[in-house]
């Protein structure tokens, strides 16, 4: 698993306003919880998008 360190650091330092020592002492699970993961529905993944596209293809002949 790769981490987006610049994005995580921006979220921690700027978004959550954590001091560096607090940010670096967090576990990944704690940081995800603080950033709101687990609230609301999960974003749609690629597999679900592909499934929807297969079941509901665009009608090239339809007028808009």
């Amino acid at each position: 698993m790769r981490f987006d360190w610049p994005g995580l650091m921006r979220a921690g330092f700027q978004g959550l306003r954590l001091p560096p020592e607090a940010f670096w002492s967090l576990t990944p699970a704690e940081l995800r919880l603080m950033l709101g993961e687990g609230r609301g529905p999960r974003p749609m993944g690629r597999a679900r998008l592909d499934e929807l596209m297969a079941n509901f293809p665009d009608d090239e002949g339809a007028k808009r």
Side-chain angles (χ1 to χ4, degrees), residues 13-48:
F13 299 142
Q14 294 175 352
L16 298 173
R17 299 189 185 276
L18 296 171
E21 61 275 3
F23 175 82
W24 292 112
S25 69
L26 292 172
T27 66
E30 290 169 328
L31 183 57
R32 286 195 308 265
L33 181 64
M34 291 178 78
L35 292 173
E37 186 175 297
R39 285 191 232 156
R42 294 191 62 130
M44 183 184 334
R46 183 64 200 203
R48 179 66 177 139

